[in-house]
Amino acid sequence: MFEKIVQIKNYLESKFYEREAEIEGLLISVLARQHMLLIGPAGTAKSFLSVELAKIVQGVNYFQWLLTRFSTPEELFGPVSLKELEQGIYKRNTTGKLPEAHIAFLDELFKANSAILNSLLTLINERLFYNNGKPFRTPLISIIGASNEYPEEGEGLEALYDRFLLRYETDYLKNDANFISMLKDSNGMSQPPSITLEELQNLQFFMDMIKVPDEIYENLSEIRRKLKDEGIRPSDRRFKQSLSLIKAKAMLDQRQEVQLKDLMILA
């Protein structure tokens, strides 16, 4: 089963040129049940990459949406059920929407308005969606967010930005040979691998059991101290959640124990 995730990595790297770092981050996000942010211009395969992953994982519910300043909660969370409303119950029909998704891609993430933001924050972090005033556990594994630009200060998006542990800047292809191969749509692996949702969940279970030596905790503490000296203060939550990322990195390298080099995924 461990080999499957490596096969998926190799396949995606053969299909998407100059996206090795983003592909590694995407697979680590899914294994660690964390979220990833892609920042870069349109046309750099941000959404295509997440769509391709959703095709590979059999049995997942996939949701994709482009946010605008005028997006409404109905677009992400589903319309209010008129039948229930007639009985005085304010309940959304979430079928096919974000609360029922395992993997989601949200484009232009930072255009989310205040009507969407609070529900989105709770769903991303706690995996809860409040419907008719009651919290419901969602099956969400990972959200891949995308934006053409970073959020501006003072827009109230700091909490949303903080929810994405892995962040990558994407750009257009730089290598001429890769550009020509992309135009020809020529890649070495035409048959995509597959993994079931149950197999992925088993990998996530085994990932939680990967050993973290004491020197890793000590190095994280040293990183925290040095960042503080530079005026950079990541939240305690980010440091706690980062443990799942370094465990997933070790699993991707088919190891049962975290090594110091795994900390580089946090860069």
Side-chain angles (χ1 to χ4, degrees), residues 110-129:
F110 299 123
K111 288 187 169 59
N113 53 52
S114 57
I116 291 173
L117 198 55
N118 287 338
S119 294
L120 195 56
L121 288 173
T122 305
L123 195 149
I124 288 175
N125 204 48
E126 283 83 27
R127 265 64 171 191
L128 294 176
F129 178 69

Side-chain angles (χ1 to χ4, degrees), residues 10-18 48 173 176-191:
N10 292 338
Y11 168 76
L12 291 174
E13 287 180 352
S14 74
K15 191 175 183 68
F16 296 91
Y17 303 101
E18 300 178 22
F48 190 20
L173 297 180
D176 288 344
N178 288 337
F179 176 73
I180 292 171
S181 295
M182 182 273 294
L183 293 178
K184 291 180 177 180
D185 195 24
S186 57
N187 59 71
M189 299 174 63
S190 57
Q191 185 63 34

Side-chain angles (χ1 to χ4, degrees), residues 64-264:
Q64 179 172 324
W65 205 261
L66 171 64
L67 289 167
T68 72
R69 298 289 183 192
F70 308 104
S71 293
T72 64
E74 285 75 17
E75 296 175 24
L76 267 66
F77 309 120
V80 176
S81 171
L82 296 179
K83 185 177 180 180
E84 301 272 11
L85 194 60
E86 289 175 354
Q87 302 172 19
I89 300 172
Y90 190 87
K91 187 176 182 180
R92 294 190 182 278
N93 179 5
T94 58
T95 303
K97 295 296 185 178
L98 183 57
E100 297 191 7
H102 295 97
I103 297 174
F105 178 82
L106 298 181
D107 203 0
E108 291 302 328
L109 179 72
F110 299 123
K111 288 187 169 59
N113 53 52
S114 57
I116 291 173
L117 198 55
N118 287 338
S119 294
L120 195 56
L121 288 173
T122 305
L123 195 149
I124 288 175
N125 204 48
E126 283 83 27
R127 265 64 171 191
L128 294 176
F129 178 69
Y130 284 82
N131 205 358
N132 191 31
K134 299 177 182 178
F136 291 88
R137 179 68 57 182
T138 72
L140 183 65
I141 295 172
S142 184
I143 286 181
I144 300 99
S147 176
N148 294 339
E149 56 193 6
Y150 286 93
E152 294 183 11
E153 292 185 11
E155 289 191 349
L157 296 169
E158 293 82 2
L160 179 61
Y161 183 61
D162 190 58
R163 296 299 196 274
F164 290 84
L165 263 66
L166 289 174
R167 303 161 181 165
Y168 295 90
E169 292 184 357
T170 62
D171 203 352
Y172 300 119
L173 297 180
K174 295 180 173 61
N175 183 278
D176 288 344
N178 288 337
F179 176 73
I180 292 171
S181 295
M182 182 273 294
L183 293 178
K184 291 180 177 180
D185 195 24
S186 57
N187 59 71
M189 299 174 63
S190 57
Q191 185 63 34
S194 67
I195 185 171
T196 66
L197 179 59
E198 183 180 2
E199 287 173 328
L200 176 59
Q201 290 168 339
N202 286 337
L203 283 173
Q204 292 169 339
F205 173 77
F206 287 120
M207 185 220 70
D208 289 334
M209 298 169 63
I210 287 177
K211 183 180 178 182
V212 181
D214 286 342
E215 66 173 339
I216 300 297
Y217 295 112
E218 292 164 2
N219 273 268
L220 282 172
S221 181
E222 184 180 356
I223 289 170
R224 176 175 176 266
R225 183 172 62 254
K226 289 185 176 180
L227 286 175
K228 186 178 179 181
D229 291 342
E230 296 293 330
I232 303 169
R233 304 192 65 176
S235 65
D236 291 345
R237 178 182 62 220
R238 287 186 69 82
F239 275 105
K240 179 69 174 177
Q241 292 177 342
S242 70
L243 292 174
S244 64
L245 296 180
I246 58 178
K247 286 182 179 181
K249 179 67 171 74
M251 171 172 276
L252 198 60
D253 290 346
Q254 302 186 69
R255 284 184 277 105
Q256 296 181 357
E257 182 173 305
V258 171
Q259 296 179 2
L260 279 174
K261 63 181 180 181
D262 296 326
L263 292 173
M264 288 304 297

Side-chain angles (χ1 to χ4, degrees), residues 15-31:
K15 191 175 183 68
F16 296 91
Y17 303 101
E18 300 178 22
R19 293 291 178 266
E20 292 83 3
E22 292 89 338
I23 289 167
E24 181 182 64
L26 179 62
L27 295 176
I28 285 174
S29 295
V30 171
L31 286 172

